[in-house]
Amino acid sequence: MHQQGSLMPSLLSGVFCQCRSTDTHPGADPGGGVTQQSASGVWHTDEGEHPCDICGGSEQEHRLKVLFQVLDVNGDGGICVNDLTIGLKKLGVHRTEHELMKIVKAGDKDLDGQLDFEEFVHYLRDHEKKLRLVFKSLDRKNDGRIDSQEIMQSLRDLGVNISEEQAEKILRSMDKNGTMTIDWNEWRDYHLLHPADNIPEIILYWKHSSIFDVGESLMVPDEFTAEEKKMGMLWRHLVAGGGAGAVSRTCTAPLDRLKVLMQVHSSKSNSMRIAGGFSQMIREGGVRSLWRGNGINVLKIAPESAIKFVAYEQIKRLMGSNQETLGITERLLAGSLAGAIVQSSIYPMEVLKTRLALRKTGQYSGLQDCAKHIFQREGVAAFYKGYIPNMLGIIPYAGIDLAVYETLKNSWLQNYATDSADPGVFVLLACGTTSSTCGQLASYPLALVRTRMQAQASLGGGPQMTMTGLFRHIIRTEGAIGLYRGLAPNFMKVIPSVSISYVVYEYLKITLGVQSK
Protein backbone atom coordinates (compact mmCIF):
# COMPACT_ATOMS: atom_id res chain seq x y z
CA MET A 1 0.00 0.00 0.00
CA HIS A 2 1.34 3.42 -0.93
CA GLN A 3 1.50 6.50 1.21
CA GLN A 4 -1.54 8.66 0.55
CA GLY A 5 -1.39 12.21 -0.76
CA SER A 6 -2.07 15.22 1.40
CA LEU A 7 -5.46 15.97 -0.19
CA MET A 8 -7.01 12.67 0.80
CA PRO A 9 -6.55 12.98 4.60
CA SER A 10 -7.81 16.56 4.53
CA LEU A 11 -11.01 15.37 2.86
CA LEU A 12 -11.42 12.30 5.03
CA SER A 13 -10.59 13.95 8.35
CA GLY A 14 -14.00 15.59 8.40
CA VAL A 15 -16.04 13.01 6.50
CA PHE A 16 -17.25 11.29 9.63
CA CYS A 17 -18.73 12.61 12.82
CA GLN A 18 -16.29 14.90 14.60
CA CYS A 19 -17.38 13.14 17.78
CA ARG A 20 -15.73 10.03 16.43
CA SER A 21 -12.69 11.51 14.74
CA THR A 22 -11.19 12.84 17.96
CA ASP A 23 -8.87 10.65 20.00
CA THR A 24 -10.86 8.06 21.86
CA HIS A 25 -9.82 8.90 25.39
CA PRO A 26 -10.69 11.56 27.96
CA GLY A 27 -9.22 14.99 27.48
CA ALA A 28 -8.13 14.36 23.90
CA ASP A 29 -10.44 16.92 22.30
CA PRO A 30 -8.13 18.94 20.02
CA GLY A 31 -10.62 21.79 19.83
CA GLY A 32 -10.49 22.37 23.56
CA GLY A 33 -14.13 21.49 24.17
CA VAL A 34 -15.29 19.38 27.09
CA THR A 35 -15.45 15.69 26.15
CA GLN A 36 -18.17 13.39 27.37
CA GLN A 37 -18.55 9.67 26.90
CA SER A 38 -21.80 8.23 25.57
CA ALA A 39 -23.25 4.83 26.47
CA SER A 40 -21.69 3.37 23.32
CA GLY A 41 -18.21 4.37 24.47
CA VAL A 42 -17.75 7.14 21.87
CA TRP A 43 -16.41 10.50 23.10
CA HIS A 44 -18.53 13.53 22.18
CA THR A 45 -17.62 17.19 22.35
CA ASP A 46 -20.02 19.86 23.58
CA GLU A 47 -18.45 22.36 21.20
CA GLY A 48 -21.23 23.47 18.88
CA GLU A 49 -19.33 25.31 16.13
CA HIS A 50 -18.97 22.32 13.80
CA PRO A 51 -21.83 19.93 14.52
CA CYS A 52 -22.48 16.79 12.46
CA ASP A 53 -25.69 14.99 11.56
CA ILE A 54 -25.35 12.77 14.63
CA CYS A 55 -25.14 15.89 16.74
CA GLY A 56 -27.81 17.75 14.78
CA GLY A 57 -25.82 19.56 12.07
CA SER A 58 -25.06 19.01 8.37
CA GLU A 59 -21.29 19.42 8.02
CA GLN A 60 -20.71 15.68 7.72
CA GLU A 61 -23.15 15.36 4.82
CA HIS A 62 -21.51 18.30 3.09
CA ARG A 63 -18.05 16.73 3.33
CA LEU A 64 -19.40 13.39 2.09
CA LYS A 65 -20.90 15.17 -0.93
CA VAL A 66 -17.58 16.88 -1.66
CA LEU A 67 -15.74 13.56 -1.57
CA PHE A 68 -18.44 11.94 -3.74
CA GLN A 69 -18.17 14.73 -6.33
CA VAL A 70 -14.38 14.38 -6.44
CA LEU A 71 -14.65 10.62 -7.07
CA ASP A 72 -17.60 10.91 -9.51
CA VAL A 73 -15.23 11.83 -12.34
CA ASN A 74 -17.78 11.91 -15.18
CA GLY A 75 -20.45 13.60 -13.05
CA ASP A 76 -23.21 11.07 -13.81
CA GLY A 77 -24.28 10.67 -10.18
CA GLY A 78 -22.64 7.26 -9.77
CA ILE A 79 -19.12 6.06 -8.91
CA CYS A 80 -17.94 3.09 -10.99
CA VAL A 81 -14.57 1.30 -10.92
CA ASN A 82 -13.18 3.62 -13.61
CA ASP A 83 -14.28 6.70 -11.62
CA LEU A 84 -12.59 5.34 -8.50
CA THR A 85 -9.38 4.60 -10.41
CA ILE A 86 -9.11 8.16 -11.78
CA GLY A 87 -10.55 9.94 -8.73
CA LEU A 88 -8.31 8.21 -6.20
CA LYS A 89 -5.22 8.78 -8.33
CA LYS A 90 -6.02 12.51 -8.26
CA LEU A 91 -6.10 12.25 -4.45
CA GLY A 92 -2.77 10.43 -4.40
CA VAL A 93 -4.32 7.08 -3.41
CA HIS A 94 -3.29 3.96 -5.33
CA ARG A 95 -5.50 0.86 -5.37
CA THR A 96 -5.49 -2.19 -7.64
CA GLU A 97 -8.44 -2.77 -9.98
CA HIS A 98 -9.33 -5.87 -7.98
CA GLU A 99 -9.54 -3.81 -4.76
CA LEU A 100 -11.69 -1.16 -6.43
CA MET A 101 -14.03 -3.80 -7.84
CA LYS A 102 -14.46 -5.15 -4.31
CA ILE A 103 -15.37 -1.70 -2.99
CA VAL A 104 -18.04 -1.21 -5.67
CA LYS A 105 -19.36 -4.76 -5.24
CA ALA A 106 -19.56 -4.37 -1.44
CA GLY A 107 -21.58 -1.15 -1.61
CA ASP A 108 -23.64 -1.74 -4.77
CA LYS A 109 -27.04 -2.67 -3.32
CA ASP A 110 -29.07 -2.29 -6.55
CA LEU A 111 -26.45 -4.21 -8.62
CA ASP A 112 -26.15 -1.54 -11.33
CA GLY A 113 -22.34 -1.64 -11.28
CA GLN A 114 -21.84 1.71 -9.55
CA LEU A 115 -22.37 3.49 -6.23
CA ASP A 116 -24.90 6.29 -6.01
CA PHE A 117 -24.54 8.81 -3.16
CA GLU A 118 -26.70 6.81 -0.73
CA GLU A 119 -24.80 3.58 -1.42
CA PHE A 120 -21.48 5.41 -1.14
CA VAL A 121 -22.40 6.85 2.28
CA HIS A 122 -23.70 3.48 3.53
CA TYR A 123 -20.50 1.72 2.43
CA LEU A 124 -18.23 4.30 4.09
CA ARG A 125 -20.17 4.28 7.37
CA ASP A 126 -20.28 0.48 7.51
CA HIS A 127 -16.58 0.22 6.68
CA GLU A 128 -15.66 2.93 9.18
CA LYS A 129 -17.42 1.01 11.94
CA LYS A 130 -15.39 -2.10 11.13
CA LEU A 131 -12.19 -0.05 11.12
CA ARG A 132 -13.08 1.41 14.53
CA LEU A 133 -13.64 -2.09 15.93
CA VAL A 134 -10.22 -3.20 14.70
CA PHE A 135 -8.63 0.00 16.07
CA LYS A 136 -10.16 -0.60 19.51
CA SER A 137 -9.05 -4.25 19.42
CA LEU A 138 -5.46 -3.17 18.71
CA ASP A 139 -5.49 -0.30 21.24
CA ARG A 140 -4.66 -2.47 24.28
CA LYS A 141 -3.78 0.48 26.52
CA ASN A 142 -7.05 2.22 25.64
CA ASP A 143 -5.21 5.53 25.17
CA GLY A 144 -6.45 6.24 21.66
CA ARG A 145 -3.13 5.37 20.02
CA ILE A 146 -1.53 2.21 18.63
CA ASP A 147 2.19 1.63 19.10
CA SER A 148 4.51 -1.11 17.83
CA GLN A 149 4.18 -3.20 21.03
CA GLU A 150 0.38 -3.27 20.70
CA ILE A 151 0.62 -4.38 17.07
CA MET A 152 3.08 -7.15 18.02
CA GLN A 153 0.90 -8.35 20.94
CA SER A 154 -2.34 -8.31 18.93
CA LEU A 155 -0.84 -10.29 16.08
CA ARG A 156 0.83 -12.68 18.56
CA ASP A 157 -2.60 -13.44 20.03
CA LEU A 158 -3.77 -14.32 16.52
CA GLY A 159 -0.86 -16.72 16.07
CA VAL A 160 1.42 -14.41 14.06
CA ASN A 161 4.79 -13.40 15.51
CA ILE A 162 6.50 -10.35 13.98
CA SER A 163 9.64 -8.49 15.01
CA GLU A 164 9.62 -4.97 16.43
CA GLU A 165 11.26 -3.80 13.20
CA GLN A 166 8.36 -5.24 11.18
CA ALA A 167 5.83 -3.62 13.55
CA GLU A 168 7.56 -0.25 13.15
CA LYS A 169 7.48 -0.65 9.37
CA ILE A 170 3.70 -1.13 9.59
CA LEU A 171 3.44 1.99 11.76
CA ARG A 172 5.57 4.13 9.43
CA SER A 173 3.29 3.32 6.49
CA MET A 174 0.38 5.00 8.34
CA ASP A 175 2.13 7.55 10.56
CA LYS A 176 1.69 11.05 9.11
CA ASN A 177 3.13 13.14 11.98
CA GLY A 178 6.28 11.13 12.78
CA THR A 179 5.24 10.14 16.34
CA MET A 180 5.60 6.38 15.62
CA THR A 181 2.10 5.91 17.05
CA ILE A 182 -1.16 5.79 15.12
CA ASP A 183 -4.21 7.70 16.27
CA TRP A 184 -7.74 7.05 15.05
CA ASN A 185 -7.56 9.70 12.31
CA GLU A 186 -4.39 8.23 10.79
CA TRP A 187 -5.75 4.69 11.01
CA ARG A 188 -9.07 5.61 9.40
CA ASP A 189 -7.60 7.83 6.67
CA TYR A 190 -5.16 5.12 5.64
CA HIS A 191 -7.63 2.22 5.52
CA LEU A 192 -10.98 3.81 4.64
CA LEU A 193 -10.92 3.23 0.90
CA HIS A 194 -9.66 -0.31 1.11
CA PRO A 195 -12.30 -3.05 0.66
CA ALA A 196 -13.68 -4.51 3.90
CA ASP A 197 -12.42 -7.99 3.02
CA ASN A 198 -8.85 -6.73 3.36
CA ILE A 199 -8.96 -6.11 7.10
CA PRO A 200 -6.97 -9.16 8.19
CA GLU A 201 -7.49 -8.62 11.92
CA ILE A 202 -11.27 -8.94 11.61
CA ILE A 203 -11.00 -11.97 9.34
CA LEU A 204 -8.53 -13.69 11.65
CA TYR A 205 -10.84 -13.23 14.63
CA TRP A 206 -13.56 -15.02 12.70
CA LYS A 207 -11.83 -18.27 11.79
CA HIS A 208 -14.35 -20.99 12.41
CA SER A 209 -13.93 -24.29 10.61
CA SER A 210 -10.74 -25.18 12.51
CA ILE A 211 -12.44 -24.66 15.86
CA PHE A 212 -14.75 -27.63 15.84
CA ASP A 213 -15.45 -30.91 14.10
CA VAL A 214 -18.93 -32.24 13.41
CA GLY A 215 -17.80 -35.33 11.51
CA GLU A 216 -18.13 -33.69 8.09
CA SER A 217 -15.31 -32.69 5.74
CA LEU A 218 -17.32 -30.36 3.52
CA MET A 219 -16.61 -27.07 5.33
CA VAL A 220 -14.80 -24.35 3.40
CA PRO A 221 -11.26 -24.04 4.84
CA ASP A 222 -10.16 -21.02 6.86
CA GLU A 223 -7.88 -18.32 5.50
CA PHE A 224 -4.27 -18.17 6.70
CA THR A 225 -1.93 -15.24 6.14
CA ALA A 226 1.43 -15.63 4.40
CA GLU A 227 3.13 -14.88 7.72
CA GLU A 228 1.23 -17.71 9.46
CA LYS A 229 2.14 -20.15 6.69
CA LYS A 230 5.80 -19.14 6.82
CA MET A 231 5.91 -19.69 10.56
CA GLY A 232 4.24 -23.10 10.39
CA MET A 233 1.06 -21.85 12.10
CA LEU A 234 -1.12 -23.43 9.41
CA TRP A 235 0.13 -26.92 10.20
CA ARG A 236 -0.10 -26.35 13.94
CA HIS A 237 -3.73 -25.30 13.49
CA LEU A 238 -4.31 -28.44 11.39
CA VAL A 239 -2.72 -30.69 14.00
CA ALA A 240 -4.72 -29.03 16.79
CA GLY A 241 -7.91 -29.30 14.72
CA GLY A 242 -7.16 -32.92 13.82
CA GLY A 243 -6.57 -33.89 17.45
CA ALA A 244 -9.76 -32.12 18.51
CA GLY A 245 -11.68 -33.88 15.74
CA ALA A 246 -10.33 -37.28 16.76
CA VAL A 247 -11.42 -36.82 20.39
CA SER A 248 -14.86 -35.38 19.53
CA ARG A 249 -15.59 -38.07 16.91
CA THR A 250 -14.63 -40.80 19.37
CA CYS A 251 -16.83 -39.32 22.10
CA THR A 252 -19.85 -39.02 19.79
CA ALA A 253 -19.22 -42.24 17.79
CA PRO A 254 -22.22 -44.12 19.28
CA LEU A 255 -24.57 -41.42 17.97
CA ASP A 256 -22.83 -41.49 14.60
CA ARG A 257 -23.22 -45.26 14.31
CA LEU A 258 -26.88 -45.00 15.32
CA LYS A 259 -27.39 -42.40 12.58
CA VAL A 260 -25.94 -44.78 9.96
CA LEU A 261 -28.13 -47.69 11.18
CA MET A 262 -31.24 -45.52 11.05
CA GLN A 263 -30.36 -44.20 7.60
CA VAL A 264 -30.02 -47.75 6.23
CA HIS A 265 -32.47 -49.91 8.23
CA SER A 266 -35.19 -47.58 9.47
CA SER A 267 -38.37 -47.36 7.40
CA LYS A 268 -42.14 -46.87 7.74
CA SER A 269 -42.63 -50.56 8.57
CA ASN A 270 -39.44 -50.87 10.63
CA SER A 271 -39.26 -47.71 12.71
CA MET A 272 -36.07 -47.46 14.77
CA ARG A 273 -36.10 -45.24 17.87
CA ILE A 274 -33.02 -43.81 19.55
CA ALA A 275 -33.31 -45.90 22.77
CA GLY A 276 -34.26 -49.00 20.79
CA GLY A 277 -31.33 -48.52 18.42
CA PHE A 278 -28.82 -48.33 21.28
CA SER A 279 -30.37 -51.40 22.94
CA GLN A 280 -30.19 -53.33 19.67
CA MET A 281 -26.50 -52.47 19.16
CA ILE A 282 -25.56 -53.47 22.72
CA ARG A 283 -27.56 -56.75 22.51
CA GLU A 284 -25.92 -57.69 19.24
CA GLY A 285 -22.30 -56.85 20.02
CA GLY A 286 -21.93 -55.48 23.54
CA VAL A 287 -20.95 -51.96 24.57
CA ARG A 288 -17.81 -51.97 22.39
CA SER A 289 -19.99 -52.32 19.30
CA LEU A 290 -21.16 -48.73 19.79
CA TRP A 291 -17.78 -47.62 18.40
CA ARG A 292 -17.78 -49.74 15.24
CA GLY A 293 -16.46 -47.73 12.30
CA ASN A 294 -14.90 -45.07 14.53
CA GLY A 295 -11.30 -46.17 13.88
CA ILE A 296 -11.48 -45.41 10.15
CA ASN A 297 -13.47 -42.23 10.87
CA VAL A 298 -10.60 -40.93 13.03
CA LEU A 299 -7.94 -42.26 10.67
CA LYS A 300 -9.26 -40.25 7.73
CA ILE A 301 -8.98 -36.90 9.56
CA ALA A 302 -5.28 -36.42 8.71
CA PRO A 303 -5.46 -36.95 4.93
CA GLU A 304 -8.82 -35.16 4.85
CA SER A 305 -7.45 -31.96 6.45
CA ALA A 306 -4.09 -31.94 4.69
CA ILE A 307 -5.47 -32.55 1.18
CA LYS A 308 -8.22 -29.98 1.67
CA PHE A 309 -5.88 -27.15 2.70
CA VAL A 310 -3.27 -27.94 0.04
CA ALA A 311 -5.98 -28.18 -2.65
CA TYR A 312 -7.59 -24.94 -1.43
CA GLU A 313 -4.30 -23.02 -1.67
CA GLN A 314 -3.55 -24.41 -5.15
CA ILE A 315 -7.06 -23.56 -6.41
CA LYS A 316 -6.68 -20.00 -5.07
CA ARG A 317 -3.44 -19.74 -7.05
CA LEU A 318 -5.06 -21.12 -10.22
CA MET A 319 -7.91 -18.63 -9.83
CA GLY A 320 -5.26 -15.94 -10.15
CA SER A 321 -6.01 -14.39 -6.78
CA ASN A 322 -3.17 -12.33 -5.32
CA GLN A 323 -5.20 -11.66 -2.19
CA GLU A 324 -4.43 -13.36 1.11
CA THR A 325 -8.15 -13.48 1.80
CA LEU A 326 -10.91 -14.20 -0.71
CA GLY A 327 -14.42 -12.81 -1.00
CA ILE A 328 -17.37 -15.05 -0.13
CA THR A 329 -18.08 -16.12 -3.74
CA GLU A 330 -14.44 -16.99 -4.44
CA ARG A 331 -14.20 -18.82 -1.10
CA LEU A 332 -17.28 -20.88 -1.94
CA LEU A 333 -15.92 -21.82 -5.37
CA ALA A 334 -12.41 -22.63 -4.11
CA GLY A 335 -13.77 -24.42 -1.02
CA SER A 336 -16.23 -26.52 -3.01
CA LEU A 337 -13.54 -27.56 -5.50
CA ALA A 338 -11.18 -28.40 -2.63
CA GLY A 339 -14.01 -30.42 -1.04
CA ALA A 340 -14.54 -32.33 -4.28
CA ILE A 341 -10.82 -33.14 -4.50
CA VAL A 342 -10.56 -34.32 -0.88
CA GLN A 343 -13.74 -36.40 -1.14
CA SER A 344 -12.48 -38.05 -4.35
CA SER A 345 -9.18 -38.85 -2.63
CA ILE A 346 -10.54 -40.35 0.60
CA TYR A 347 -13.92 -41.66 -0.60
CA PRO A 348 -12.98 -45.38 -0.29
CA MET A 349 -12.43 -44.70 3.42
CA GLU A 350 -16.00 -43.34 3.63
CA VAL A 351 -17.34 -46.60 2.15
CA LEU A 352 -15.25 -48.65 4.59
CA LYS A 353 -16.54 -46.56 7.50
CA THR A 354 -20.17 -47.27 6.52
CA ARG A 355 -19.57 -51.00 6.03
CA LEU A 356 -17.72 -51.32 9.34
CA ALA A 357 -20.47 -49.40 11.18
CA LEU A 358 -23.11 -51.78 9.73
CA ARG A 359 -21.18 -55.02 10.24
CA LYS A 360 -22.44 -57.86 12.42
CA THR A 361 -20.25 -59.33 15.18
CA GLY A 362 -17.52 -61.48 13.62
CA GLN A 363 -18.30 -60.42 10.03
CA TYR A 364 -14.88 -58.79 9.53
CA SER A 365 -11.75 -59.18 11.61
CA GLY A 366 -10.77 -55.56 10.99
CA LEU A 367 -10.28 -52.74 8.48
CA GLN A 368 -7.97 -54.68 6.15
CA ASP A 369 -10.25 -57.74 6.16
CA CYS A 370 -13.27 -55.54 5.30
CA ALA A 371 -11.44 -53.91 2.38
CA LYS A 372 -10.30 -57.33 1.12
CA HIS A 373 -13.87 -58.76 1.22
CA ILE A 374 -15.31 -55.77 -0.68
CA PHE A 375 -12.58 -55.93 -3.34
CA GLN A 376 -12.92 -59.69 -3.88
CA ARG A 377 -16.73 -59.80 -4.00
CA GLU A 378 -17.64 -56.46 -5.58
CA GLY A 379 -14.51 -55.12 -7.29
CA VAL A 380 -12.87 -51.71 -7.21
CA ALA A 381 -16.10 -49.91 -8.24
CA ALA A 382 -17.66 -50.78 -4.87
CA PHE A 383 -15.30 -48.33 -3.16
CA TYR A 384 -17.00 -45.48 -5.04
CA LYS A 385 -20.65 -46.38 -4.50
CA GLY A 386 -22.65 -43.27 -3.58
CA TYR A 387 -19.91 -41.02 -4.98
CA ILE A 388 -22.27 -38.88 -7.12
CA PRO A 389 -24.75 -37.89 -4.35
CA ASN A 390 -21.75 -37.24 -2.10
CA MET A 391 -20.26 -34.83 -4.66
CA LEU A 392 -23.63 -33.15 -5.23
CA GLY A 393 -23.94 -32.59 -1.46
CA ILE A 394 -20.80 -30.44 -1.33
CA ILE A 395 -22.35 -27.33 -2.94
CA PRO A 396 -25.45 -27.01 -0.70
CA TYR A 397 -23.46 -27.89 2.43
CA ALA A 398 -20.50 -25.58 1.83
CA GLY A 399 -22.61 -22.82 0.28
CA ILE A 400 -25.22 -22.64 3.03
CA ASP A 401 -22.64 -23.11 5.81
CA LEU A 402 -20.56 -20.21 4.47
CA ALA A 403 -23.53 -17.95 3.64
CA VAL A 404 -25.20 -18.41 7.04
CA TYR A 405 -21.88 -17.94 8.85
CA GLU A 406 -21.09 -14.71 6.97
CA THR A 407 -24.65 -13.43 7.58
CA LEU A 408 -24.46 -14.12 11.32
CA LYS A 409 -20.97 -12.64 11.52
CA ASN A 410 -21.98 -9.42 9.74
CA SER A 411 -25.14 -9.17 11.84
CA TRP A 412 -23.06 -9.39 15.04
CA LEU A 413 -20.55 -6.83 13.78
CA GLN A 414 -23.36 -4.44 12.80
CA ASN A 415 -25.57 -4.77 15.87
CA TYR A 416 -23.52 -5.91 18.86
CA ALA A 417 -19.83 -5.10 18.31
CA THR A 418 -18.95 -1.92 20.21
CA ASP A 419 -15.50 -2.17 21.77
CA SER A 420 -13.78 -4.95 19.82
CA ALA A 421 -13.84 -6.92 16.58
CA ASP A 422 -13.23 -10.06 18.66
CA PRO A 423 -16.63 -11.78 18.99
CA GLY A 424 -15.61 -14.05 21.86
CA VAL A 425 -15.82 -17.81 22.03
CA PHE A 426 -19.56 -18.17 22.59
CA VAL A 427 -20.48 -16.04 19.58
CA LEU A 428 -17.98 -17.94 17.43
CA LEU A 429 -19.32 -21.32 18.52
CA ALA A 430 -22.96 -20.25 18.16
CA CYS A 431 -22.40 -18.90 14.63
CA GLY A 432 -20.32 -21.90 13.59
CA THR A 433 -22.73 -24.46 15.02
CA THR A 434 -25.78 -22.77 13.47
CA SER A 435 -24.19 -22.45 10.03
CA SER A 436 -22.91 -26.03 10.05
CA THR A 437 -26.30 -27.34 11.16
CA CYS A 438 -28.04 -25.44 8.34
CA GLY A 439 -25.54 -26.86 5.86
CA GLN A 440 -26.13 -30.41 7.10
CA LEU A 441 -29.91 -29.96 6.97
CA ALA A 442 -29.76 -28.86 3.32
CA SER A 443 -27.51 -31.69 2.17
CA TYR A 444 -28.93 -34.45 4.42
CA PRO A 445 -31.13 -36.21 1.79
CA LEU A 446 -28.09 -36.60 -0.46
CA ALA A 447 -26.05 -37.91 2.51
CA LEU A 448 -28.77 -40.48 3.30
CA VAL A 449 -28.91 -41.71 -0.32
CA ARG A 450 -25.10 -41.89 -0.37
CA THR A 451 -25.07 -44.05 2.79
CA ARG A 452 -27.73 -46.42 1.43
CA MET A 453 -25.82 -46.82 -1.84
CA GLN A 454 -22.62 -47.55 0.11
CA ALA A 455 -24.48 -50.20 2.14
CA GLN A 456 -26.55 -51.84 -0.62
CA ALA A 457 -24.31 -54.82 -1.37
CA SER A 458 -23.85 -55.63 2.33
CA LEU A 459 -27.61 -55.90 2.87
CA GLY A 460 -28.13 -58.70 0.33
CA GLY A 461 -31.31 -59.71 -1.40
CA GLY A 462 -32.27 -56.21 -2.63
CA PRO A 463 -31.68 -54.69 -6.08
CA GLN A 464 -28.70 -52.37 -6.61
CA MET A 465 -30.44 -49.02 -7.17
CA THR A 466 -29.07 -45.89 -8.79
CA MET A 467 -29.19 -42.52 -7.05
CA THR A 468 -32.38 -41.37 -8.81
CA GLY A 469 -33.93 -44.84 -8.35
CA LEU A 470 -33.26 -44.67 -4.61
CA PHE A 471 -34.74 -41.17 -4.32
CA ARG A 472 -37.91 -42.31 -6.11
CA HIS A 473 -38.14 -45.48 -4.02
CA ILE A 474 -37.79 -43.58 -0.70
CA ILE A 475 -40.36 -40.92 -1.68
CA ARG A 476 -42.81 -43.58 -2.92
CA THR A 477 -42.53 -45.92 0.08
CA GLU A 478 -41.80 -43.53 2.96
CA GLY A 479 -42.63 -40.02 1.77
CA ALA A 480 -40.35 -36.99 2.08
CA ILE A 481 -39.72 -37.75 5.77
CA GLY A 482 -37.87 -40.90 4.68
CA LEU A 483 -35.05 -38.68 3.34
CA TYR A 484 -34.37 -37.50 6.90
CA ARG A 485 -34.05 -40.85 8.73
CA GLY A 486 -31.32 -40.60 11.38
CA LEU A 487 -31.50 -36.81 11.55
CA ALA A 488 -32.23 -36.81 15.31
CA PRO A 489 -29.02 -38.58 16.44
CA ASN A 490 -27.10 -36.53 13.86
CA PHE A 491 -28.22 -33.26 15.48
CA MET A 492 -27.93 -34.71 19.00
CA LYS A 493 -24.18 -35.07 18.48
CA VAL A 494 -23.63 -31.47 17.27
CA ILE A 495 -23.54 -29.69 20.66
CA PRO A 496 -21.32 -32.26 22.48
CA SER A 497 -19.12 -32.57 19.39
CA VAL A 498 -18.59 -28.81 19.13
CA SER A 499 -18.01 -28.40 22.87
CA ILE A 500 -15.52 -31.29 23.17
CA SER A 501 -13.57 -30.35 20.04
CA TYR A 502 -13.34 -26.71 21.13
CA VAL A 503 -11.89 -27.56 24.57
CA VAL A 504 -9.38 -30.02 23.08
CA TYR A 505 -8.54 -27.59 20.25
CA GLU A 506 -7.73 -24.76 22.67
CA TYR A 507 -5.62 -27.06 24.86
CA LEU A 508 -3.67 -28.38 21.86
CA LYS A 509 -3.16 -24.83 20.51
CA ILE A 510 -1.51 -23.84 23.80
CA THR A 511 0.57 -27.05 23.82
CA LEU A 512 1.72 -26.48 20.23
CA GLY A 513 2.51 -22.81 20.86
CA VAL A 514 -0.17 -21.40 18.57
CA GLN A 515 -1.11 -18.88 21.23
CA SER A 516 0.25 -17.83 24.60
CA LYS A 517 -1.46 -19.01 27.79
Side-chain angles (χ1 to χ4, degrees), residues 380-423:
V380 177
F383 290 102
Y384 282 89
K385 282 186 176 173
Y387 177 78
I388 293 174
N390 189 65
M391 290 295 107
L392 292 176
I394 290 173
I395 297 294
Y397 185 102
I400 290 172
D401 174 41
L402 192 58
V404 171
Y405 192 81
E406 289 294 319
T407 302
L408 293 172
K409 175 185 91 170
N410 289 330
S411 176
W412 185 89
L413 283 170
Q414 288 291 333
N415 300 312
Y416 301 106
T418 53
D419 296 322
S420 173
D422 183 359

Side-chain angles (χ1 to χ4, degrees), residues 65 67-80 82-84 86-87 90 114-116:
K65 282 180 179 174
L67 181 59
F68 183 83
Q69 286 164 4
V70 170
L71 296 177
D72 181 16
V73 177
N74 57 12
D76 63 353
I79 299 174
C80 62
N82 189 52
D83 286 336
L84 278 177
I86 298 168
K90 285 181 181 177
Q114 61 181 8
L115 304 179
D116 59 31

